[in-house]
């Protein structure tokens, strides 16, 4: 099957657990190219779930990658609203999980 999507993920701390990671792993047509997180304590769990992704701590690195056209935001938190605006201003598509 052809890969249909190159995605970036923004990860914040979730009170809802990690079910979104499991859901995303089931979509083999999605390439998770890069992951940005504001929570360094989540590094191990992120890299375990997405070992082929590059983990970055500077959101601009994710936003400047021309191959990333869609940014998935997980989880849904009010604190992520400014980040969503920055992603949209960069010209990327956004999907909030």
């Amino acid at each position: 099957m052809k890969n249909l999507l190159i995605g970036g993920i923004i990860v914040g701390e979730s009170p809802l657990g990690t079910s979104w990671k499991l859901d995303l792993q089931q979509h083999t047509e999605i390439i998770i190219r890069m992951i940005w997180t504001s929570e360094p304590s989540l590094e191990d769990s992120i890299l375990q779930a997405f070992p082929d992704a590059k983990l970055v701590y500077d959101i601009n690195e994710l936003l400047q990658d021309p191959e990333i056209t869609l940014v998935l935001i997980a989880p849904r938190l009010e604190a992520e609203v400014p980040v969503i605006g920055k992603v949209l201003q960069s010209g990327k598509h956004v999907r909030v999980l």
Side-chain angles (χ1 to χ4, degrees):
M1 176 182 227
K2 183 178 177 185
N3 292 322
L4 303 174
L5 173 68
I6 297 175
I9 298 180
I10 296 176
V11 182
E13 190 172 351
S14 173
L16 304 175
T18 59
S19 64
W20 62 270
K21 289 181 193 174
L22 298 174
D23 292 342
L24 213 52
Q25 289 169 326
Q26 294 176 15
H27 293 280
T28 58
E29 73 278 7
I30 297 175
I31 296 172
I32 305 301
R33 180 182 183 89
M34 189 178 299
I35 299 175
W36 171 82
T37 182
S38 59
E39 298 291 331
S41 62
L42 299 175
E43 180 177 341
D44 289 340
S45 66
I46 292 169
L47 292 176
Q48 183 177 6
F50 304 104
D52 295 330
K54 178 180 178 184
L55 185 63
V56 297
Y57 296 99
D58 179 357
I59 186 140
N60 293 312
E61 189 171 349
L62 185 146
L63 298 178
Q64 292 171 359
D65 187 320
E67 292 186 336
I68 294 177
T69 57
L70 173 66
V71 176
L72 304 174
I73 309 283
R76 229 179 280 182
L77 295 175
E78 288 181 22
E80 303 296 351
V81 170
V83 175
I84 293 169
K86 191 169 186 172
V87 173
L88 289 170
Q89 288 177 345
S90 76
K92 310 243 183 248
H93 300 279
V94 174
R95 172 76 168 109
V96 179
L97 302 175

